[in-house]
Amino acid sequence: MVTTADAKEQAAAAAKELKSRTGADGYDALVVLGSGWTDVADHLGTPDIELDAAELPGFAAPTAPGHSGRLRSLWVGAKRVAVLCGRVHLGEAHDPMAVVHPVRTVIAAGAPVVVLTGSAGSLRTDYAVGEPILVRDHINLTGASPLTGPDFTDLSRAYSARLRGVAADADPSLAEGVYAEVTGPELMTPAELGMLRASGADLVGRSLALETIAAVEMEAEVMGLATVSNDAVGGVFEPFDPDAALEAVRRHTQRLGELLNTVLMRV
């Protein structure tokens, strides 16, 4: 079994290769772009170098729709930022260590700030499709963890209040919510969605939580931002349409890019 220490050692080796390939001494931040977010990279900052992330040790190519396997190194003002234009999920037959390896790698390359993005179904009727929601907390329903061993990792402040404050200053209209990560790839039943709502979840998706756990364990500051891709209030709205869900995010590419650019400039 791969331990947390093993995984961090592998991430350190991959970080060395990343810096060699990009010519970077280190990174000031990492941005992970989720489903439908790939084009946001074009609005983040000044491009520098782009490569196929799967060429780096331990990285796997995403297979989920709306995810690219590219890693872009770019400048946001004077800050060097690594942008992962996609991710892998547990539902793609990857284990938790593989899912979080890219995040661990860029943190090992020096990034103290991690911005995790994604799309999510809304469990609330007051969230509009296409609306970005700041993640205040998460519920990990995958039954998995990217950590092993006897040491505890405190997740009581997993999503940085400071970073949420920076984002709220940049866009006062941003709402906050609790994100539930499930494994997938199957969609949830109406009864399961009702259970999530009763448990306090506002959003449901297949990412963020495991990456956040790994990032917090490595003492990075985390911000989560999920765009509402569809209504997920069981049995009330139309059946899930994956193409429409991706398009709901893509329609807001420029706004999302400008928001993240402003946040990165200020942190």
Side-chain angles (χ1 to χ4, degrees):
M1 180 180 68
V2 177
T3 66
T4 301
D6 293 334
K8 290 166 75 172
E9 185 175 328
Q10 292 167 4
K16 184 177 180 179
E17 178 67 14
L18 170 63
K19 290 190 289 185
S20 174
R21 292 285 301 274
T22 60
D25 294 329
Y27 286 91
D28 298 294
L30 162 67
V31 176
V32 181
L33 299 176
S35 298
W37 282 71
T38 299
D39 292 342
V40 169
D42 295 333
H43 301 273
L44 274 181
T46 305
D48 187 14
I49 295 172
E50 185 171 313
L51 54 89
D52 183 350
E55 296 174 0
L56 296 171
F59 281 61
T63 61
H67 290 261
S68 161
R70 306 297 290 173
L71 186 152
R72 186 176 297 186
S73 179
L74 53 78
W75 293 93
V76 180
K79 296 183 173 69
R80 192 151 197 174
V81 178
V83 181
L84 287 164
C85 299
R87 57 162 60 89
V88 297
H89 305 82
L90 285 175
E92 296 171 74
H94 294 289
D95 65 42
M97 296 298 190
V99 168
V100 306
H101 176 69
V103 170
R104 278 193 169 120
T105 294
V106 182
I107 295 172
V113 170
V114 174
V115 178
L116 303 173
T117 74
S119 62
S122 170
L123 297 167
R124 290 172 48 162
T125 57
D126 58 338
Y127 286 170
V129 171
E131 180 180 1
I133 308 295
L134 275 172
V135 177
R136 180 180 69 251
D137 204 346
H138 75 235
I139 303 172
N140 178 14
L141 295 175
T142 66
S145 172
L147 306 181
T148 62
D151 296 330
F152 292 106
T153 296
D154 184 1
L155 297 177
S156 60
R157 297 176 179 83
Y159 296 89
S160 166
R162 182 183 79 90
L163 295 181
R164 296 204 314 273
V166 171
D169 287 342
D171 184 350
S173 71
L174 287 173
E176 291 191 356
V178 175
Y179 182 106
E181 179 177 347
V182 296
T183 303
E186 76 281 357
L187 299 175
M188 303 191 77
T189 68
E192 289 170 335
L193 292 169
M195 178 196 70
L196 287 185
R197 293 180 70 194
S199 72
D202 302 305
L203 301 160
V204 58
R206 298 189 297 142
S207 57
L208 270 69
L210 297 185
E211 292 170 336
T212 295
I213 293 168
V216 171
E217 191 277 332
M218 292 185 72
E219 300 184 352
E221 208 174 357
V222 178
M223 187 182 98
L225 188 67
T227 299
V228 176
S229 59
N230 61 291
D231 291 304
V233 182
V236 177
F237 297 98
E238 296 181 358
F240 178 73
D241 180 338
D243 292 331
L246 289 174
E247 184 58 29
V249 181
R250 289 172 179 151
R251 283 198 302 269
H252 301 274
T253 291
Q254 183 170 347
R255 177 196 175 187
L256 295 170
E258 291 173 351
L259 171 61
L260 292 186
N261 176 278
T262 301
V263 170
L264 293 167
M265 290 284 285
R266 295 180 181 179
V267 297

